[in-house]
Amino acid sequence: MSTALTTIFGTEISVAPTPRRAQRQYYGFPGSHGVSTMQLGSRGWSFVVHGRLRATGISYAAARQTIEAAISVIDAWQWADAEDFTFGSSTYANCVMDKMELVPGPDGKPFHWTAGSVFCDFVAYFTGLL
């Protein structure tokens, strides 16, 4: 079973896969100049979700409380087991969420109030285990 990323983060997101990372072990030896390396293969691949969360309310405090509750629900995905995620026609198999960061605006604040709603921008980082 897979989970749509829009179910977790809403519809205001973009998803960008990143290349695999190679894992290497470097060795140096006394009296030599330079190092040798052992290739250890890939240590998974990753993708990044950029987006915006929004919440409405009759006041800033009410809307902010709603958006903070949504962030807490998303935050729990950091401790979930590996799962398949989908976005559009793409499937990201056997992935875990490493972290989510709120992105501050030009004023240094992550939360913004506009016309009855609070929004915040975020970046979430995932690692594929295969």
Side-chain angles (χ1 to χ4, degrees):
M1 185 172 135
S2 64
T3 300
L5 290 169
T6 53
T7 302
I8 300 169
F9 299 107
T11 57
E12 293 185 69
I13 62 171
S14 65
V15 179
T18 58
R20 289 181 182 261
R21 296 177 309 237
Q23 183 69 41
R24 295 180 179 90
Q25 181 70 43
Y26 294 98
Y27 299 96
F29 300 97
S32 67
H33 297 287
V35 294
S36 62
T37 183
M38 180 190 313
Q39 300 290 350
L40 301 173
S42 170
R43 292 298 178 250
W45 53 275
S46 59
F47 67 93
V48 179
V49 178
H50 295 267
R52 178 170 282 178
L53 299 173
R54 289 184 192 272
T56 59
I58 57 173
S59 67
Y60 173 81
R64 181 161 170 166
Q65 186 174 13
T66 301
I67 205 166
E68 286 178 350
I71 291 168
S72 292
V73 170
I74 294 168
D75 189 50
W77 280 94
Q78 292 182 85
W79 294 274
D81 291 333
E83 188 167 333
D84 294 351
F85 294 97
T86 59
F87 181 70
S89 61
S90 298
T91 298
Y92 304 96
N94 204 29
C95 298
V96 294
M97 186 170 96
D98 295 320
K99 67 178 178 177
M100 176 181 161
E101 297 177 342
L102 300 182
V103 179
D107 59 357
K109 299 176 184 176
F111 297 102
H112 308 281
W113 172 254
T114 59
S117 71
V118 170
F119 71 89
C120 67
D121 294 327
F122 70 90
V123 180
Y125 300 89
F126 287 77
T127 297
L129 304 180
L130 296 177

